Amino acid sequence: MPAPDTFISPRPRKDRWFFALQPDAAAREVLVCCQDELATRHGLHSYRLKPQNLHVSLHALGEGSTLPESTLALARATAASVAAATAPFEIVFDQAGSFTKSAPSQSQIQSRSQGQTKNPFILRAAPNVAALHAFHRALGLALRDNNAGHHIRSRFSPHLTLFWDLASIEAHPVPPLRWTVAELVLIHSLVGQAEHVVVARWPLGVPAVPEPPKPLTCPSRPRPKSKAESNYAELHARSAFSFLRGGSIPEDLARCAYELNLPAMALLDRDGVYGAPRFYSVAHENAFAVRPRVGAEITMEDGTVVPLLAASRLGYQNLCQLITETKLTERPHHVIDRLGRGGIDQPDEHAPDPRARKRPCFATWSELARYSEGLIAFTGDEEGPVRHAWSTQGRDAAATALARLTAIFGSASDPAQARLFV
């Protein structure tokens, strides 16, 4: 009795990432005319590649909608090095035909007749393209040596696909089509969308600009100023981790500071250092061109907010200890009831405050004094103790609030020694 038919699920298709050579604008126009002529001659109408998708594949880098950042970084560095060491060269295509590895079997012929299998119709490179083969080999060896590629092909039949069609056309001569290869590209092919996204380009024969060395830790001494560098440093930035107070993620803040040539930026989120690792990581990627500073806005027992900046490793440790204390210590209910509406009293006590916490956290002034070493304080904005006292109780109350801060952080007038700033 014959075995029942079985169905084998096809391998799911995934996005592809690969290195390739693309024709320049002039060569692309000639290729489009060649597509028109060959389509008419052979009746090729199943699938025609878009002009912007025409390319010569070199080496595959991987599959999937994304690739690990480490893989992409290695691939970029390797491609830049090989491209810089290679002068532009000319390639020539002088044959056209269907690309088949061997003669089709009877079952394959039957499948094609039923519309199930399509062959790539290609232009074949002329035999005398030694520079292309040398470039392919150099790139493959470099990717393999740097562990940047897992699909390196040793065999190489340079070609450029024009169509995918059911027809099987024997190879035949065509008028030579040539162009000078001037750049290497990395392509992300989106499965099912017939779209190629060029991820990166590297011009041939142009020396790569070396990246500046990245220090192991954030430099604590000032770096030399360039002419374009701003004299302004943002020391009270808040990220999206401060609900309804900041809208940007930490990475965007660091990149924006880099683009604006700011020498430094401090991230002070409300009652936590949630965004600090991500903020520091992006600064590290940019070789600390923007010096990252970390702190937090601490809600106090009277509902005011004191911005604190870590000035040293000890200061960061004390800041974390203070935040932990504010979140874990049980507080009197009458204080919780008042701070549960978001700290400082709202104009309408019956209006819900979207910033209300499930369990308000705050620091006492004695706790702030206990963990103040290594920290720099600011008097703050309208929620700060000095300005809030001035706006609600007048000048004498503001002086009292300032005296309280001075008692904790000192009153040194030398900026190098001062730990309290307005």
Side-chain angles (χ1 to χ4, degrees):
M1 182 175 180
D5 293 339
T6 58
F7 173 75
I8 300 177
S9 174
R11 179 173 177 262
R13 297 175 61 196
K14 298 180 180 179
D15 289 3
R16 295 176 56 242
W17 300 67
F18 58 91
F19 290 100
L21 308 175
Q22 289 184 322
D24 55 32
R28 192 178 298 123
E29 291 184 7
V30 177
L31 283 169
V32 171
C33 295
C34 182
Q35 281 181 306
D36 294 338
E37 191 275 328
L38 291 170
T40 302
R41 183 195 303 185
H42 300 297
L44 304 171
H45 302 295
S46 293
Y47 176 73
R48 172 173 174 161
L49 267 73
K50 301 175 183 178
Q52 63 269 27
N53 289 353
L54 298 173
H55 67 275
V56 178
S57 299
L58 295 176
H59 293 287
L61 185 61
E63 294 182 341
S65 57
T66 60
L67 291 183
E69 195 60 39
S70 58
T71 299
L72 287 174
L74 282 173
R76 288 174 182 270
T78 302
S81 175
V82 175
T86 305
F89 57 89
E90 185 180 72
I91 56 176
V92 182
F93 296 89
D94 58 5
Q95 283 198 341
S98 298
F99 185 82
T100 53
K101 295 183 179 180
S102 59
S105 64
Q106 188 63 34
S107 62
Q108 289 175 320
I109 295 174
Q110 183 178 359
S111 297
R112 289 168 187 164
S113 66
Q114 297 173 354
Q116 299 175 354
T117 304
K118 294 179 182 179
N119 289 318
F121 184 89
I122 65 171
L123 290 178
R124 294 181 183 273
N128 56 343
V129 284
L132 174 57
H133 284 273
F135 182 66
H136 173 269
R137 176 175 174 79
L139 179 61
L141 291 176
L143 290 170
R144 181 175 295 165
D145 291 344
N146 292 335
N147 294 319
H150 303 286
H151 307 279
I152 307 305
R153 298 187 300 176
S154 57
R155 300 181 62 182
F156 182 45
S157 300
H159 63 275
L160 188 150
T161 302
L162 299 177
F163 302 92
W164 284 85
D165 199 272
L166 298 174
S168 180
I169 311 299
E170 292 291 333
H172 59 81
V174 294
L177 186 151
R178 66 186 72 223
W179 86 80
T180 300
V181 176
E183 67 176 4
L184 169 67
V185 298
L186 175 61
I187 292 176
H188 177 195
S189 176
L190 305 180
V191 64
Q193 301 183 38
E195 183 177 354
H196 286 177
V197 178
V198 176
V199 179
R201 301 176 183 271
W202 299 274
L204 300 189
V206 178
V209 178
E211 294 186 1
K214 295 183 179 181
L216 296 178
T217 59
C218 179
S220 58
R221 59 180 181 275
R223 60 191 172 94
K225 288 188 176 182
S226 65
K227 294 181 180 180
E229 185 177 278
S230 170
N231 289 321
Y232 172 78
E234 176 55 63
L235 298 180
H236 197 167
R238 289 178 285 203
S239 75
F241 284 103
S242 294
F243 183 54
L244 292 183
R245 297 178 178 90
S248 301
I249 61 175
E251 294 89 338
D252 287 347
L253 287 173
R255 294 188 183 104
C256 184
Y258 179 78
E259 293 171 0
L260 294 175
N261 292 314
L262 300 186
M265 175 178 276
L267 180 62
L268 277 63
D269 278 318
R270 181 63 60 92
D271 295 323
V273 289
Y274 322 102
R278 293 162 60 173
F279 181 68
Y280 189 91
S281 176
V282 174
H284 183 277
E285 291 175 4
N286 291 321
F288 295 114
V290 176
R291 292 190 292 278
R293 297 297 185 236
V294 176
E297 295 179 326
I298 300 298
T299 303
M300 301 305 298
E301 58 186 316
D302 58 2
T304 60
V305 177
V306 178
L308 298 175
L309 186 64
S312 62
R313 181 184 294 271
L314 176 60
Y316 182 74
Q317 292 172 346
N318 280 334
L319 179 62
C320 293
Q321 289 274 27
L322 178 61
I323 293 171
T324 302
E325 193 97 355
T326 65
K327 294 183 182 295
L328 296 183
T329 304
E330 293 289 342
R331 303 299 186 183
H333 288 289
H334 70 278
V335 180
I336 292 178
D337 291 340
R338 182 166 61 84
L339 291 181
R341 297 197 304 271
I344 298 172
D345 293 337
Q346 305 297 314
D348 181 359
E349 62 180 10
H350 300 292
D353 181 9
R355 295 172 295 185
R357 299 178 174 88
K358 293 181 179 179
R359 181 188 179 205
C361 66
F362 59 88
T364 64
W365 290 102
S366 61
E367 289 169 347
L368 179 61
R370 189 190 321 154
Y371 295 110
S372 64
E373 187 176 357
L375 293 175
I376 293 174
F378 301 107
T379 55
D381 52 18
E382 65 275 2
E383 292 183 293
V386 176
R387 187 168 173 182
H388 177 64
W390 180 288
S391 62
T392 58
Q393 302 175 49
R395 179 176 178 176
D396 292 342
T400 301
L402 181 60
R404 175 183 282 171
L405 288 172
T406 303
I408 297 175
F409 294 98
S411 57
S413 59
D414 182 1
Q417 303 296 325
R419 297 174 54 220
L420 177 62
F421 293 89
V422 177

